[in-house]
Amino acid sequence: MSPTKPIAIIGGGPAGLTAAAFLQRHKVPFVLYEAGPKVAGLATSFHDDDGFTYDFGAHFINNRLAAALGVGAQCRTVKYYGESVHLNGKSYGYPLGLLQSPRYVLSGISSRLNPRIHKRQFRSAATWFRASYGSALANEVALPLLEAWSGVPAAELSAAVGSEKLQNSIAQTLKFRNIGRMTGRAVACGYSHEIPENSHMWHVYPDGGVGLLCRKIAEGLESQIRLSSPVEAVWVDNNQVQAVQVNGQELPVSGVISTAPCHILSRMMRGTDRLAALAQFRYRPMMFINLRLKGRGLLKDTVVWLPGKDFTTFRVTETPISMPWLAPVGKTLITVDIGCEKGDDLWSMDDEALGESCLKDLEPLIPDIRQRYQGCRVLRASCAYPVYLNTYEDVRQRWRQTTGVEGLYTVGRNGEFSHALMEDVYWRTQRKLRGILPSNRVMSESPGATPV
Amino acid sequence: MSHSLTQSLTTPLMGAIHRPDSDRPLPLEPVTCCVCGSDDAEPLAVGEDFEYRTSPDTFLAVQCRCCGLVYLNPRPAMTTLDRIYPLDYHAFDFSAERYGLIYRVRQRLEAKRLLSACQRLGPGARLLDVGCGDGFHLKLLRQFGRSDWQLEGVDMSDRAVALGRQQGLKLHQGTIQAVDLPAHQYDLAFMIATLEHVDDPAEVIQAVRRLLKPGGELVIVTDNTDTWDFRLFGHRHWGGYHFPRHWNLFNANTVGRLAMETDLEVVKIQTIVSPVNWVYSIHNYLVDWNAASWLVKQFSLESTLSLGFFTLFDQVFQAFGHGALLRVTLRRPFEN
Ligand SMILES: Cc1cc2nc3c(=O)[nH]c(=O)nc-3n(C[C@H](O)[C@H](O)[C@H](O)COP(=O)(O)OP(=O)(O)OC[C@H]3O[C@@H](n4cnc5c(N)ncnc54)[C@H](O)[C@@H]3O)c2cc1C
Ligand SMILES: [Zn+2]
């Protein structure tokens, strides 16, 4: 990287901003281009005049990320977090409740006892889940959820969907839940993979919403951030990044760090076809229908999974069970996640009709939901979840390591095509950039001791 | 700003002290490893000011992946020292009457340790205690050492310095980098429970080095991270974190590297026994779990029983080279 031309960072979400702060600390010139009118990407909260706060799905951060960013004092401790599964008209706490059902325990145990499980290569997510959870639990709970969430049959998904994300044992989950109950802190479990979790990490929520995190990272970087400036093209010559195009203008750069979804990046590339295979990568669009309701504690738990085929949604979340301050007293908010395809009937449905269909969906859970209903607000994310299709698993694995183009790097959830949550994005982005920087730059800043 | 080896000999009664600014966050600043310069570090622990509750912040202790140094990142800005070292901070608030027996036992022990570092000193030797607080160690040296030794101390706290001066000690107020002391004049310098508090350990050691005669020695005593108490409590409650006042925490390796960086010879690295981090780890654990205050008090430094017990306990670890404190003897080389 030449020190004179700046590095262009594409995107001002958690990943792009973390990259920017890192470059700033290492005195590497950069310019960050954000397509939207403000920073934060998906890590944003919205407030309405009636005192409700809506997040883009990203509700949970832990005290470790807050401390790393120096915003611990501006975060409140989340006292309780729980999940349950609603199946055939009955609710089961997760994971303990499910384990009280003998069928699931037996199938889970017999699969665990299979000594070959750790050595096996799994052909698909379906075989991974069956081997790890047992057929009953996989077929009735895990796989239907996976399919509703991704929009494709589990047999077409890579085993990595499970194995990269769900490493926590049931024993650890139970231990953390119990410690959480005893300490009155919702111990975070399964949220971080970059750095080991421990029982002293719990969920916290920033005052005024999750946007605080990005505002904090962006402090001191303002002069290098260009808002409402989508990067339209990345120019490559001789397999080396040369320039980016922003608002029709070509700007020479020494490198590009992209957080843009990789199928979009693929289409932005000029002068190389090395990223062509990424154009087929799929992201699952998601709609978040936030139902405003009278009452509190209408769901059995903060998150309720709905694997039954009779539901349009696969997951509902009542955030005020964990974060009471997200809705006014006596009221609550239930977020209904619906996976769809851009432009399909659901995606184009107007908000009111969506709210109406959610009410119908949730009546089995909350019989008097119509009397409680006070309107809804819908958020749409066109790239909510990367879908790990088996057909491009090799390309995906390679992509996580390198883009194949000199000077082009990707970080972040959509940039790397991974299911990373914010803490992982934060540590991983820095780790990746450290690998990019010429080592002499890092060394030259060491506190060289000059003897007297 | 530092306190003495009789680290944390008191703790305020929980909730007893009102701090008007304790709900105002501190300005925090990112830092890199002060030993090797890397910023590649593994997060270890999130903690709070369990002892003094001087701010509502949470703090992150990390460990350098290159050299193993444990440090606070981000850490309070230098402008916050008045807040994170409140008036009731133990190093400023120390008296024999208050601690009776424990005080006298520790005094003896400390004196013995100090004098063991002074064996090669001749008549009229010049000694300097860097981060001397109100002069606890200097008083011991005055009481138990040779009468012709010239004893001086440096500390940032004007209150501590004023207290020590009242007792006839020759103390200088300011940082070691800033105070005006003669170069190449001192035979022996101590930094006892000081290194972990300073913002730039290498710079401080270089400043001390400049004052030492060729062949003069610097004895550093600091918390050891290569211990079982660290392993057991390092995820949050370890007493040695002393959130947010211990900014850099060493082991034999990192302190040796620091010596190399500052062009000092390592004469000896040993570990010594201390009950303090054990007692404080348990104290912090109990505070964090909202334990009853009578129980918490059993693990304060006013509790003879727990201090006695953990002194014996730590002796076992010390026998295997993992005592709670590091004691490092460095020497300024003769040639240069
Ligand atoms: C439903 C859901 C729930 C989640 N829940 C949690 C949670 O509870 N806890 C948690 O920690 N994480 C959660 N996450 C993940 C979290 O939202 C992401 O990890 C995080 O937002 C990723 O940050 P990013 O910077 O990689 O991407 P983004 O936040 O998506 O930011 C990318 C930015 O790049 C900009 N951009 C894109 N293309 C261009 C271009 N061509 N030019 C300029 N700018 C461009 C976009 O406008 C956007 O601002 C959740 C995610 C989803 C979808
Ligand atoms: Zn280091």
Side-chain angles (χ1 to χ4, degrees), chain A residues 20-321:
Chain A
F22 183 92
L23 294 182
Q24 174 109 328
R25 280 203 304 276
H26 288 83
K27 304 191 171 60
V28 178
F30 69 90
V31 180
L32 183 152
Y33 299 99
E34 165 55 49
K38 42 181 198 109
V39 295
L42 282 178
T44 306
S45 305
F46 303 89
H47 308 278
D48 69 15
D49 294 340
D50 304 319
F52 291 91
T53 300
Y54 316 88
D55 304 321
F56 241 129
H59 315 294
F60 296 100
I61 64 154
N62 62 44
N63 57 341
R64 187 164 64 189
L65 178 60
L69 297 179
V71 296
Q74 286 105 285
C75 291
R76 295 192 229 192
T77 296
V78 174
K79 296 199 178 114
Y80 172 83
Y81 172 82
E83 296 179 12
S84 60
V85 178
H86 185 89
L87 192 60
N88 304 327
K90 265 183 75 180
S91 266
Y92 302 87
Y94 177 85
L96 206 55
L98 279 175
L99 294 180
Q100 277 154 6
S101 161
R103 283 180 48 240
Y104 297 142
V105 178
L106 285 179
S107 89
I109 290 177
S110 61
S111 68
R112 287 279 160 179
L113 289 180
N114 184 347
R116 288 175 313 162
I117 181 169
H118 299 294
K119 297 195 202 93
R120 264 179 68 187
Q121 289 279 327
F122 294 98
R123 264 177 298 117
S124 72
T127 52
W128 186 88
F129 276 95
R130 287 196 189 107
S132 311
Y133 288 33
S135 296
L137 207 52
N139 292 342
E140 288 166 44
V141 182
L143 297 178
L145 286 174
L146 190 61
E147 294 182 343
W149 156 78
S150 64
V152 285
E156 290 175 24
L157 288 168
S158 149
V161 175
S163 58
E164 276 180 17
K165 237 186 114 121
L166 303 167
Q167 298 145 340
N168 286 337
S169 65
I170 288 181
Q172 189 180 39
T173 310
L174 287 178
K175 178 181 151 201
F176 285 4
R177 287 276 153 80
N178 282 330
I179 292 177
R181 221 157 276 152
M182 284 191 298
T183 54
R185 294 161 174 162
V187 174
C189 186
Y191 274 75
S192 306
H193 300 97
E194 282 285 305
I195 316 267
E197 296 182 320
N198 63 57
S199 59
H200 303 297
M201 287 173 58
W202 56 83
H203 293 301
V204 297
Y205 192 88
D207 287 339
V210 291
L212 174 75
L213 304 179
C214 281
R215 283 199 303 279
K216 180 71 186 185
I217 310 175
E219 263 175 26
L221 308 172
E222 296 82 358
S223 64
Q224 294 314 108
I225 296 178
R226 310 280 178 272
L227 296 175
S228 307
S229 306
V231 172
E232 296 145 355
V234 176
W235 297 90
V236 174
D237 190 25
N238 246 332
N239 202 37
Q240 165 78 45
V241 166
Q242 303 293 338
V244 292
Q245 181 183 313
V246 181
N247 294 323
Q249 253 194 320
E250 198 175 306
L251 307 159
V253 295
S254 63
V256 166
I257 296 171
S258 171
T259 74
C262 57
H263 64 315
I264 294 176
L265 179 67
S266 164
R267 287 171 209 142
M268 288 180 350
M269 299 307 293
R270 305 282 181 274
T272 178
D273 56 4
R274 293 236 170 163
L275 272 66
L278 293 145
Q280 52 160 333
F281 276 30
R282 279 187 51 184
Y283 290 82
R284 176 72 157 167
M286 198 75 52
M287 293 189 295
F288 310 101
I289 297 106
N290 295 287
L291 307 174
R292 310 192 321 174
L293 300 159
K294 274 189 277 189
R296 217 14 109 79
L298 305 182
L299 293 181
K300 179 104 190 307
D301 244 319
T302 318
V303 173
V304 176
W305 298 95
L306 301 167
K309 289 260 184 286
D310 35 341
F311 291 101
T312 320
T313 171
F314 62 99
R315 174 174 66 191
V316 284
T317 309
E318 186 174 349
T319 45
I321 291 182

Side-chain angles (χ1 to χ4, degrees), chain B residues 217-236:
Chain B
E217 289 183 350
L218 166 61
V219 174
I220 296 172
V221 176
T222 188
D223 301 272
N224 185 8
T225 57
D226 189 11
T227 58
W228 278 91
D229 45 316
F230 180 73
R231 250 176 247 182
L232 276 175
F233 295 100
H235 279 313
R236 181 164 172 86

Side-chain angles (χ1 to χ4, degrees), chain A residues 26 72 185 198 427 434 449, chain B residues 39-40 43 58 206 235 261 288:
Chain A
H26 288 83
R185 294 161 174 162
N198 63 57
W427 299 121
R434 213 168 277 123
Chain B
D39 70 345
D40 187 5
T58 61
Q206 275 162 36
H235 279 313
E261 299 270 333
D288 200 29

Side-chain angles (χ1 to χ4, degrees), chain B residues 125-173:
Chain B
R126 253 182 117 162
L127 288 84
L128 183 67
D129 185 6
V130 180
C132 63
D134 65 356
F136 174 77
H137 296 104
L138 293 170
K139 276 179 276 178
L140 290 180
L141 288 165
R142 186 166 68 182
Q143 194 177 343
F144 297 101
R146 286 178 66 125
S147 58
D148 57 4
W149 285 347
Q150 305 175 58
L151 306 172
E152 287 166 65
V154 181
D155 203 279
M156 261 178 79
S157 157
D158 38 9
R159 277 182 72 229
V161 166
L163 261 169
R165 281 182 184 154
Q166 275 168 25
Q167 303 181 56
L169 293 169
K170 185 171 177 190
L171 303 190
H172 311 274
Q173 194 265 316

Side-chain angles (χ1 to χ4, degrees), chain B residues 63-83:
Chain B
Q63 180 159 37
C64 178
R65 289 200 180 99
C66 301
C67 75
L69 181 81
V70 174
Y71 61 103
L72 204 62
N73 187 24
R75 73 184 185 200
M78 284 299 274
T79 51
T80 66
L81 296 184
D82 280 351
R83 274 188 63 196

